[in-house]
Structure formats: C-alpha cells, structure tokens
DNA sequence: TAACTTTGTAACTGCGCGTTACCATGTCTG
DNA sequence: CAGACATGGTAACGCGCAGTTACAAAGTTA
C-alpha cells in the first residue's frame, strides 16, 4: 500500500501493468477465475518471475499453490493505475482518426468516456459522434473549464498540433495524447504521450529487411 | 554499414532511429541542411552523446566541426531501416480506423503505399478510400499473392482479429500491425506489433493519479 | 595560425531485466 | 492424514543498455 508512495517504481513495471490488465480482463470475460504467473507470462510474453516481482512492488496478491484471483487482481491493478474510477476525455479533431477513437470500444471498458469533441471545420460542427456533438474549437476553453477534464487527445492535422496542445494545456488538461507525427512541447506538469503509427512501422521494418528468423515480440 | 550485419544492434537504437528520421525529415522540409547532435538531441529529447553513439553502430556520418548533413543522414537511416524503397501495405478493416490509416499523410512520406483494402461489410465493398476500392475479405489471398505485399494492418473488430491475422500470415505477410486490443498469435517468422491506444492511456494515467495524490492500492 | 566547434570513442556508473534458486504456503491424491 | 505437487514471494547474481563525462581528432572561422 504505502510502498508505491515511498518506493520508486521502475518505468517498465508501469508499462507492463496495462498489458497484464488487458489479458486479465479478457480471461475474466472467458469465465476464468484464477491464473498463474506462468500462464499469464505465456499470454503477455513476459517472464513469469518478472510478473511476480512486478506485482510485489504493490503488495502480495497471489495465493501460493493456486495463482492469482483474476477479479481481485483486475481491481488492484486498476486501482494502481487510477483506472478504478471514470475519466473524461476531450478529443480534438473529428476526422476519421478522431471518429475511430471516439467510437473505440476499449475506452469505455476501462472507464474512459469522451465527453467533448472539437473541430474547426464548420461542416462538422453539430454532427454527433456517438452521443457527443462536435463543438467549434473556440469553445474548447469554456467547455473544459465547465467539465472536469484532465485528459486530451490530439487527432488533428500536423500543422495544428502545437496550437491545440497549447490550448489544452492552458485549459487545465494534465495528460495529452498526441496522434500526430510532429513533436509538440508541453509545459511542466503535463504528461505527453506520442503515438505515431509510422514510427512503429519503420521500427518493425528494420527486422523485415534483416529477415532474421528470430521471433521478435 | 557492414557492421550492421555482424555486430548486434541494441533494440533501443532501432527504436530511436525512426524518431531521428522523423525530425530530420521535418528539418529538411524547413530547408535546414545540417544539424548537430546537440540540436537533434533537443528535438528528439535524446542525449546528444547517445545519438552519436547510436549512429556509430552503422558507420561515421558526421563532419566534425559541422554536424550531420541532413539529406545524407536521412538516406542512410532510411537504408538502415529498409525504408529507402517503397513498401506495399494491405489494410484489413475499412471502418473509421482503417480510413484514418489509409488517409494518413505520413505513410506516403516514408514510402508506404496502401495498395489493398479489405472488409467483410457488403455495404463497404467497392467504396473507394483514396484511390483504392474496398475488396471483399474473400479476395484477400488472391490479391496478396498477385501483388508482393509483406506488411499487413489489422484494423477490424476484436473478435475478427485472430482470423484476419491468420489469413494474412498464410498469404505471405511478414509484418503485422495489430490495432485491436486482443493478443493475437503469429507463426514463426512473422513480426507482430501491437498498438493499443487504451494501454497507452492507462500507462499515462498512473502518473496522473500520482501527481494528484490520489489514494491507491 | 589560433580559437572554436563538433564528431567519434573510450571509460565509468547506475539500474532494470532476466534468470536461478529456494523457501513458504497452498492444493490434491491415495 | 500424510506426502507429493504446484505456485507465489523473495533474494542474489550477471548482463547489457542508457546516461554521463572526458578528450583527442578533425573540421571551421577569424
């Protein structure tokens, strides 16, 4: 309990927790109730000992001779990540990518709800995506102040990325997911996460040209 | 250059190369011709010494007292990654996400061209996305055999992910990008890359709750 | 020529990861 | 009930990568 407050948690651990959670939720959906670190290791491609050690950073959740209770572990990981309560998202950009994000099933599953969508294309204003009507970009600040939104997603053309990011940060957003390939700057205290599909493609491309039979997961 | 064949390149290096490339192409677009490791380090948030050392794995590209010639460095990195020639992509799933991927500007910039799009929704067959008409899923194998496609993108609903992956792999695809949250299996020799936006969200969420002192675990 | 800039590279450190090992604790079988 | 078996918790070790510092070599500029 207190360990996470005092002890420094390695970055890699925090990166793996969502992967564990993802698999655990799938297993729970299949009606499985317990899982061993060995089995979880197969499913996530993580060393079983590593999984056990990762979890001990936050306490001791398993039962020896049995494994981990999936429902309980899901709850614990969600609590660790802060995914045990709902989070509102603001989405900027109502194009194909924005629509894809807004309609993404997985978001709701983890308690994320897109509650505001912005675009500066007049033809898109008022259009409903899911249950949310697209608002003009000018209303961004007022809307975000009214609601309590701390997470923003940038899915606009590259040239608009920095401007949108600045406005989100100024409006109190604390986490920004950038889906454009440009590097944007954020003020201190704002967490930025970049997701560029092309960079991932280029990365895997290296191994394609090497054609090494070694599996790369 | 030959070193890359004999020497083992650390995984981290391969991950950073696309980031360098991305910035370099942006700089080139701005008309800049040379860049120092210090400047490139600022723009990519990577330590300058690390950049220099990364590049020495593949040879010595810089000029002392000057820096790196951007046009040359772009070419070299592209060659290292295998992005110096065109790659055809097959896209499965013509929904919002698929459309976003097919229309993504950054793909063409790096020599990627979506040359086939598949979907099993009858209302989507024949619809053009960009210049490509959506084909029924049944034609996947024949189309891929005809063209020489080694990269596939899976942007379908979760329940269809494994099936589509299997068919792509069987049709000779060597690199698969999975945009669904489910874990799919691939045969030996096929490189799999998973991109789940929700997992990235959950990851950043951890730091959001820490900063705000929310109780946990 | 002299001062300055920047790369290439070596050396050192810290640390996360993978692995091994072993005990504690639970289940299962006969 | 007793013993065999399965599994988590935890410690210890080694490896390799990242970050840093340092500095000589090579080029530029004045």
């Amino acid at each position: 309990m207190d360990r996470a407050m005092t002890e420094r948690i390695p970055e890699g651990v925090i990166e793996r927790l969502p992967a564990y959670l993802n698999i655990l939720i799938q297993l729970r959906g299949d009606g499985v109730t317990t899982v061993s670190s060995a089995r979880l290791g197969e499913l996530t491609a993580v060393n079983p000992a590593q999984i056990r050690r990762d979890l001990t950073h936050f306490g001791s959740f398993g039962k020896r001779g049995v494994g981990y209770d999936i429902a309980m572990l899901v709850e614990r990981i969600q609590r660790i990540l802060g995914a045990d309560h709902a989070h509102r998202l603001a989405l900027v950009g109502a194009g194909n990518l924005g629509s894809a994000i807004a309609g993404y099933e997985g978001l709701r599953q983890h308690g994320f709800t897109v509650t505001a969508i912005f675009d500066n294309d007049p033809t898109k204003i008022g259009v409903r995506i899911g249950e949310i009507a697209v608002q003009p970009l000018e209303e961004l600040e007022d809307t975000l102040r009214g609601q309590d939104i701390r997470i923003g997603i940038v899915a606009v053309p590259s040239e608009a990325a920095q401007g949108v990011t600045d406005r989100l940060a100024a409006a109190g957003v604390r986490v920004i997911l950038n889906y454009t390939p440009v590097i944007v700057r954020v003020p201190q205290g704002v967490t930025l996460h970049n997701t560029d599909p092309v960079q991932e493609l280029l990365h895997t491309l290296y191994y394609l040209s090497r054609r090494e039979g070694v599996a790369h997961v």
Side-chain angles (χ1 to χ4, degrees), chain A:
Chain A
M1 158 89 180
D2 292 326
R3 286 158 131 172
M5 312 289 275
T6 56
E7 194 190 323
R8 202 189 130 269
I9 310 294
E11 171 69 14
V13 176
I14 308 303
E15 280 175 20
R16 285 187 290 276
L17 286 181
Y20 302 155
L21 183 58
N22 184 24
I23 297 291
L24 289 169
I25 287 178
Q26 283 185 44
L27 288 174
R28 190 180 60 178
D30 294 344
V32 187
T33 58
T34 63
V35 67
S36 68
S37 61
R39 176 77 182 130
L40 189 54
E42 282 175 31
L43 296 172
T44 55
V46 175
N47 185 296
Q50 178 106 55
I51 294 179
R52 295 202 296 274
R53 210 176 40 170
D54 282 355
L55 295 178
T56 59
H57 284 113
F58 305 98
S60 133
F61 307 145
K63 212 186 265 186
R64 300 174 193 233
V66 181
Y68 297 91
D69 181 86
I70 291 182
M72 189 269 268
L73 192 51
V74 164
E75 271 182 35
R76 301 304 289 262
I77 295 182
Q78 284 179 333
R79 191 130 39 116
I80 292 166
L81 292 173
D84 56 335
H85 54 98
H87 290 274
R88 284 183 284 279
L89 308 182
L91 172 63
V92 187
N96 278 322
L97 181 56
S99 301
I101 293 171
Y104 191 54
E105 41 181 302
L107 283 177
R108 177 162 306 180
Q109 191 179 45
H110 288 283
F112 296 106
T113 316
V114 176
T115 58
I117 305 178
F118 303 96
D119 205 300
N120 66 354
D121 179 351
T123 69
K124 285 182 185 147
I125 308 299
V127 173
R128 299 190 93 78
I129 298 181
E131 298 178 350
I132 309 298
V134 177
Q135 297 177 255
L137 205 55
E138 291 76 36
E139 297 176 6
L140 189 148
E141 285 79 4
D142 287 344
T143 303
L144 261 63
R145 254 187 279 276
Q147 304 184 32
D148 177 34
I149 297 184
R150 282 171 299 181
I151 306 176
I153 302 180
V154 180
V156 299
S158 298
E159 54 275 16
Q162 183 64 63
V164 165
T165 302
D166 292 343
R167 291 178 65 176
L168 284 171
V173 162
R174 309 289 301 271
V175 171
I176 292 178
L177 266 73
N178 172 29
Y179 274 90
T180 77
V182 298
I183 305 292
V184 297
R185 291 172 188 277
V186 293
Q188 268 249 329
V190 174
T191 304
L192 174 69
H193 194 101
N194 295 296
T195 305
D196 185 358
V198 174
Q199 286 200 27
E200 292 161 11
L201 250 179
L202 288 169
H203 176 198
T204 59
L205 204 54
Y206 175 82
Y207 295 99
L208 178 62
S209 46
R210 290 302 166 287
R211 300 196 68 195
E212 287 176 354
V214 182
H216 169 248
V217 187

